[in-house]
Amino acid sequence: MKFAKLFAGVSLCVAAQFSQAGVTIEHWQAPSGARVFFVENHTLPIVDVQLDFAAGTAYDPAGKSGLASLTRDLLDLGAGALDETQTASRLADLGASLGGGADMDRANVSLRTLSAADKLTPALAILRDVVSAPRFDAAVFEREQARTIAALKEALTRPETIAARAFWSAMYPQHPYGVQSSPESLTAITRTDLVAFHARHYGAARTTLTLVGDLTRARAEAIAAELTAALPSGSDVAPPPELAPAVGSERRIAHPAAQAHLLIGMAAVRRGDPDYFPLLVGNYTLGGGGFVSRLMKEVRDRRGYAYSVYSYFMPMQQPGPFNIGLQTKKAQAGAALKLTREVLAGFLAEGPSAEELQAAKLNLVGSFPLRLDSNRKILENVASIGFYKLPLDYLDRYAEKVEAVSADDVRAAFARHVQAGKLTTVVVGGE
Amino acid sequence: MRCTRLIPLLCLLVAPLAAHANPFEHKLANGLNVIVKEDRRAPTAVHMVWYRVGSIDEKNGLTGVAHLLEHMMFKGTPNVGPGEFNRRVAAAGGRDNAFTNRDYTAYFQQTPKAQLEEMMRLEADRMRHLTLDPKEFAQEIKVVMEERRMRTDDQPPALLYEQMNAVAFQASPYRAPVIGWMNDLENMSVEDARDWYDRWYVPNNAYVVVVGDVDHDEVFRLAEQYYGPLEPRALPLRKPQEEPKQLGIRRLTVKAPAELPVLLMAYKAPVIRDVERDVDPYALEMLGAILDGHDAARFPQRLVKELRVAVNAGSGYDSTARGPSLFFLQGSPSEGRTVAELEAAFRAEIARIQKDGVGADELARARAQLVAAEIYKLDSMFAQAMEIGQLEAVGIPYRANERLIEKLQAVSAADVQAAARKYLDDDSLTVAVLDPQPLPKTPRPRSGAVPRH
């Protein structure tokens, strides 16, 4: 599955210019039913582990938004025989650290540890308890609930938070992706809810485990079996529901900030959609290519309207958003919005020029090795491939898929996924 | 390293030395230092050019010029037009950006290794040949003002830090924000940028750091080829501008739209000037690790979990800088608790360390984290290049890094206690409070609780 082998037969000069950087992903199923993905790499004495659960915020029950995140937050605050202080102290003693969080589709827990047995073994034992036997101590729950509410109230004063919430609500009406936690919904959550959510959504059958680093295959197999053996049995939960057709809307919310925050977008593309590559390549020219995108040139370089302006596609289990964003001083919010819409309309009508298409491919293919030049990055990529059931040769074929995109493909894919009349616009602040 | 079968013994003897030689260093005749760390884990390289100039070198009325010039560095030379630099890096499959700090200004590209030569050619070109076109300047200064609005004016915690800094420091140029005061930006001219560039952007005020899948001799050869022809020039005299001793507590308040108050307590603190002989800066680093280095460290444990006086509580300290440092404590009170109660709780924790010291277990834990962090750092080429660059920027040779780690490991409980007693003193303290203001006439957006499932 090495990148280099695939390229031997590919005659594109662009591809040949840059060298191989694929990773070999080994895949099997643990006795528990968890799907396991492993990349062996002995160059550093480090092991990275990540468990992904289909337990994101899209699974929050009605009226209890915030449950998925709160459940995830409490996993490592006391588990098995250790209370939260003992857990944190032991990890620090080992030089190990836990990470992770919850997005809409998934909740994850990651561990970074040294690979020496006297560090790795106890660190994995802690991780096993964190995902399998969280204590959800009542006092800890009550405290974290209060802290989460305090943090949310603070965030609700921030223009970027207000904008993002209004944006998602408008793009996903009547859909879990559009529902956010509120102080009220967080208050409604009880400790029992956390226990039930963990039991229901953290089952091995809907879990992926990714291991990267200084392990042999045999050791990785043993770890995978052990790590997932005690996960709850879980329930057969349906994935997030299908979306209703998008409807365009525009919303303006007052705010005293010096800058207005502008968001434009719509629900667009799901993980694994064959149109993802044309959208990726096209978006590089529109607003994904950092300093060289059309939005950056027009909005920032030519007019000085904004420091940051971007566009991206965020594929999810159900179609995730296409999103354009920028911040500009409030007096020029109207002018910046008009210009941004013109740039988008122009791109939707024409697609990329031959020169722009070539530049996009040069960068996306050329920079591919940078996406995989550390264990941390390999872990992130492989965990996503595993969770979303993307083909195991996804990384190996990435360059080939990018190279195959034509300008017509870009125009057609944008026409299918981004329609000017269905866009949601949110402006927070401004005059 | 090439070992032939003819000289195995010699190789055995040389091997440890050769291993120690990485990173490699080479100084060009024009004063430019080149540091190369070979890391062959992936076929990529990071290339950085660091200039020993930052906001600490700015004069009154010209705050923000160091950062503004960083922006202008992407606006073209006679050989490479405006925006062309970014275009060429992108076409090479690279990512690039730059950052300005109080002590330095640095530029970097991450690329496939084969593109390193092109990156060196581009950086060498803009080191001495920047166009500084007035029209480009007129647009870019607007972008910088938007950056200031985004990063500072609309970020209450950043505003608080900016104001605290301006009160804690009176003589040191550290009193001004790196991004610059808005009025200075409004009155900045392209001539100001040109003066800055001509004064500081010379090879004898810069160094190059390369980390990646490269051969150091080849990098040195390329450096000679591209950077070698650039003429050095005498640098302006830098005056010390030392901060006078603070003679009593200072307090300030910042009002901004927010929900939670923020408390920021900043004590004047020393930095490492003599790697071998200093003790206190290392002790303060370990103190920071004991206060909030992990979830069971003193601040999260006592203030957030046990006393529940704070929703968050942390500390910050940088032991390396060209100017003076601050050891600061920062947190927000829990609902129903006040800033005064939080301040009292911070003070009680500090007093406890001053009176009773710290535990051997706490120190051992901080050491274990330090050792692990040194290994985890090797997973990122960028982090390795940053470490070299930042040490050099403050005048500490990158080779001293191992010594710095050893010195940190050698800190005793008595050292920590002594440093806490010596520096965490009211007479050198500045206390800043964010006083949250309600959003005017803005109904809180409804949560949009839509029935589902």
Side-chain angles (χ1 to χ4, degrees):
Chain A
M1 216 186 302
K2 283 281 186 198
F3 203 85
K5 282 182 209 150
L6 256 167
F7 264 114
V10 178
S11 60
L12 291 160
C13 63
V14 175
Q17 187 181 337
F18 300 103
S19 60
Q20 69 303 322
V23 295
T24 303
I25 304 171
E26 297 184 52
H27 170 51
W28 66 91
Q29 195 164 32
S32 62
R35 294 180 303 123
V36 186
F37 301 84
F38 171 51
V39 178
E40 185 170 348
N41 183 342
H42 300 284
T43 52
L44 294 174
I46 299 175
V47 173
D48 285 286
V49 181
Q50 181 167 320
L51 288 126
D52 285 275
F53 305 94
T57 62
Y59 300 96
D60 279 342
K64 298 200 174 183
S65 295
L67 176 58
S69 296
L70 204 49
T71 303
R72 166 60 195 89
D73 288 348
L74 261 81
L75 289 182
D76 43 4
L77 300 179
L82 305 180
D83 68 18
E84 60 172 332
T85 305
Q86 292 164 327
T87 303
S89 304
R90 287 287 296 279
L91 285 168
D93 285 339
L94 297 168
S97 60
L98 289 173
D103 61 24
M104 295 198 186
D105 290 334
R106 52 179 167 166
N108 67 69
V109 182
S110 59
L111 169 73
R112 167 160 272 200
T113 174
L114 301 174
S115 60
D118 65 332
K119 303 286 194 296
L120 177 65
T121 306
L124 287 169
I126 291 174
L127 177 62
R128 182 182 196 262
D129 281 347
V130 161
V131 294
S132 311
R135 288 160 57 148
F136 300 124
D137 288 326
V140 174
F141 165 71
E142 180 209 324
R143 184 193 72 220
E144 291 306 310
Q145 185 180 35
R147 289 182 68 214
T148 305
I149 291 170
L152 176 60
K153 284 181 175 172
E154 174 61 33
L156 288 172
T157 68
R158 315 288 314 132
E160 60 273 23
T161 309
I162 295 168
R165 288 167 64 97
F167 187 60
W168 282 82
S169 300
M171 283 190 299
Y172 295 96
Q174 320 268 325
H175 190 275
Y177 286 171
V179 183
Q180 293 113 16
S181 62
S182 63
E184 297 76 27
S185 76
L186 288 167
T187 306
I189 295 169
T190 64
R191 179 189 174 274
T192 315
D193 292 328
L194 270 66
V195 174
F197 191 88
H198 177 257
R200 184 166 151 85
H201 295 279
Y202 282 72
R206 299 169 70 237
T207 294
T208 53
L209 167 64
T210 309
L211 304 130
V212 174
D214 187 17
L215 297 170
T216 60
R217 164 78 185 238
R219 184 84 176 96
E221 281 189 31
I223 289 170
E226 174 71 9
L227 210 46
T228 60
L231 286 173
S233 49
S235 305
D236 192 17
V237 183
E242 300 279 325
L243 303 183
V247 187
S249 69
E250 183 165 334
R251 183 149 180 222
R252 288 169 190 271
I253 301 169
H255 194 282
Q259 283 185 316
H261 290 243
L262 277 62
L263 294 172
I264 301 172
M266 64 182 285
V269 64
R270 75 179 81 218
R271 285 274 182 175
D273 190 312
D275 277 346
Y276 178 67
F277 282 95
L279 294 173
L280 174 75
V281 172
N283 186 61
Y284 179 90
T285 298
L286 174 61
F291 292 114
V292 299
S293 74
R294 285 192 191 181
L295 282 170
M296 196 65 120
K297 282 181 192 158
E298 293 298 326
V299 177
R300 174 170 157 152
D301 292 350
R302 296 229 170 104
R303 315 293 177 100
Y305 280 166
Y307 173 71
S308 161
V309 55
Y310 56 82
S311 67
Y312 61 83
F313 287 92
M314 182 175 150
M316 303 184 359
Q317 191 100 44
Q318 293 297 340
F322 163 70
N323 185 350
I324 297 178
L326 68 103
Q327 305 84 30
T328 189
K329 73 175 175 185
K330 50 190 174 184
Q332 64 200 16
L337 178 59
K338 182 166 175 287
L339 176 63
T340 303
R341 283 176 165 161
E342 284 166 9
V343 172
L344 175 60
F347 185 78
L348 291 176
E350 306 148 19
S353 68
E355 196 184 335
E356 286 173 326
L357 184 69
Q358 180 65 6
K361 291 181 180 181
L362 272 172
N363 182 262
L364 291 169
V365 174
S367 67
F368 183 77
L370 295 173
R371 298 165 65 100
L372 297 170
D373 66 359
S374 72
N375 288 11
R376 187 85 90 186
K377 292 181 192 174
I378 292 170
L379 181 79
E380 283 168 20
N381 278 287
V382 175
S384 283
I385 288 168
F387 182 80
Y388 286 107
K389 300 184 175 165
L390 302 178
L392 281 190
D393 63 357
Y394 180 84
L395 296 171
D396 302 318
R397 299 192 61 189
Y398 180 93
E400 176 194 325
K401 298 259 191 189
V402 167
E403 285 298 346
V405 172
S406 70
D408 283 340
D409 295 337
V410 172
R411 276 188 292 271
F414 268 79
R416 281 192 287 274
H417 297 272
V418 180
Q419 293 99 27
K422 294 181 181 173
L423 292 169
T424 286
T425 301
V426 170
V427 181
V428 172
E431 288 172 349
Chain B
M1 226 196 35
R2 273 163 298 182
C3 294
T4 71
R5 262 167 286 162
L6 290 174
I7 43 168
L9 182 63
L10 183 63
C11 274
L12 277 175
L13 292 171
V14 170
L17 283 176
H20 194 73
N22 191 21
F24 304 87
E25 188 174 6
H26 174 67
K27 194 161 198 157
L28 307 188
N30 61 14
L32 182 90
N33 207 24
V34 184
I35 302 163
V36 179
K37 187 168 186 182
E38 297 181 359
D39 180 339
R40 303 191 182 278
R41 300 173 61 230
T44 63
V46 51
H47 173 236
M48 294 182 169
V49 179
W50 293 68
Y51 293 90
R52 298 178 192 276
V53 65
S55 66
I56 191 175
D57 301 297
E58 292 169 348
K59 301 258 188 325
N60 246 0
L62 289 170
T63 64
V65 70
H67 171 252
L68 181 274
L69 199 275
E70 175 218 307
H71 276 240
M72 292 305 296
M73 284 284 276
F74 294 87
K75 295 301 174 183
T77 68
N79 302 315
V80 179
E84 180 70 9
F85 189 99
N86 291 130
R87 200 195 62 73
R88 291 203 197 175
V89 174
R95 297 174 191 162
D96 69 320
N97 215 323
F99 41 91
T100 307
N101 210 316
R102 300 191 300 190
D103 297 339
Y104 54 78
T105 312
Y107 303 80
F108 70 86
Q109 300 85 38
Q110 297 167 278
T111 64
K113 61 177 177 178
Q115 308 300 318
L116 177 64
E117 177 171 357
E118 166 81 347
M119 300 304 114
M120 295 176 83
R121 203 179 58 71
L122 283 166
E123 281 290 9
D125 176 50
R126 68 178 177 179
M127 183 175 282
R128 285 305 313 133
H129 303 108
L130 200 60
T131 302
L132 286 162
D133 177 73
K135 284 199 225 69
E136 294 289 339
F137 173 87
Q139 290 307 316
E140 202 57 27
I141 192 74
K142 291 186 204 165
V143 172
V144 171
M145 287 190 264
E146 292 294 348
E147 185 178 358
R148 184 186 153 89
R149 289 183 189 103
M150 188 182 88
R151 290 193 198 276
T152 305
D153 296 340
D154 283 346
Q155 302 288 344
L159 270 182
L160 183 71
Y161 179 81
E162 180 179 273
Q163 298 275 316
M164 178 279 288
N165 215 48
V167 170
F169 294 118
Q170 297 179 332
S172 168
Y174 277 2
R175 69 185 180 275
V178 174
I179 188 106
W181 299 112
M182 187 62 103
N183 189 251
D184 286 351
L185 298 178
E186 286 162 354
N187 291 288
M188 200 163 282
S189 69
V190 71
E191 288 74 27
D192 295 328
R194 174 166 301 290
D195 285 349
W196 189 261
Y197 181 71
D198 288 344
R199 196 170 297 155
W200 299 112
Y201 279 63
V202 286
N204 45 314
N205 195 39
Y207 50 99
V208 170
V209 180
V210 174
V211 177
D213 186 4
V214 297
D215 174 77
H216 66 279
D217 282 328
E218 174 66 6
V219 178
F220 293 154
R221 190 187 65 72
L222 292 170
E224 289 284 3
Q225 182 180 344
Y226 294 108
Y227 292 105
L230 302 175
E231 289 292 322
R233 187 188 309 155
L235 293 167
L237 181 69
R238 302 182 206 237
K239 307 220 176 183
Q241 297 186 269
E242 276 179 18
E243 183 69 19
K245 186 177 168 57
Q246 186 173 335
L247 302 172
I249 194 165
R250 295 172 188 167
R251 288 186 180 272
L252 70 141
T253 304
V254 173
K255 292 182 175 180
E259 175 79 17
L260 289 173
V262 179
L263 170 66
L264 183 56
M265 301 171 67
Y267 299 89
K268 295 280 165 60
V271 297
I272 299 168
R273 294 282 180 238
D274 184 326
V275 170
E276 287 303 325
R277 284 157 71 183
D278 284 338
V279 174
D280 293 345
Y282 304 104
L284 288 172
E285 288 276 6
M286 295 308 267
L287 174 62
I290 287 167
L291 291 177
D292 78 334
H294 54 93
D295 289 344
R298 288 193 178 208
F299 282 172
Q301 182 66 26
R302 285 281 292 167
L303 305 183
V304 178
K305 295 176 180 177
E306 291 172 17
L307 300 174
R308 300 198 186 180
V309 65
V311 288
N312 55 66
S315 73
Y317 169 64
D318 194 344
S319 62
T320 59
R322 281 171 57 193
S325 192
L326 294 169
F327 191 101
F328 58 86
L329 320 178
Q330 180 171 1
S332 286
S334 306
E335 189 160 315
R337 307 299 289 269
T338 64
V339 167
E341 286 175 281
L342 179 56
E343 182 180 332
F346 272 133
R347 285 173 177 277
E349 286 306 309
I350 298 305
R352 205 152 64 92
I353 286 176
Q354 290 169 332
K355 180 168 169 289
D356 304 329
V358 298
D361 56 335
E362 291 175 291
L363 212 46
R365 198 162 285 151
R367 285 191 202 113
Q369 289 187 291
L370 191 65
V371 170
E374 283 300 295
I375 294 172
Y376 297 148
K377 192 182 62 202
L378 300 176
D379 194 32
S380 165
M381 292 187 196
F382 193 82
Q384 295 176 73
M386 283 298 290
E387 181 176 81
I388 292 169
Q390 286 180 317
L391 285 176
E392 291 281 328
V394 300
I396 298 176
Y398 72 89
R399 285 196 190 283
N401 187 49
E402 278 174 40
R403 246 341 250 154
L404 294 176
I405 302 298
E406 286 166 7
K407 293 284 287 183
L408 282 167
Q409 299 274 30
V411 168
S412 70
D415 294 335
V416 174
Q417 185 176 22
R421 283 179 174 165
K422 186 169 173 190
Y423 297 103
L424 305 188
D425 171 76
D426 263 15
D427 286 350
S428 78
L429 172 63
T430 302
V431 182
V433 173
L434 177 75
D435 180 4
Q437 303 296 302
L439 299 188
K441 296 173 295 180
T442 310
R444 176 167 292 160
R446 286 182 298 119
S447 55
V450 178
R452 29 175 249 263
H453 287 272

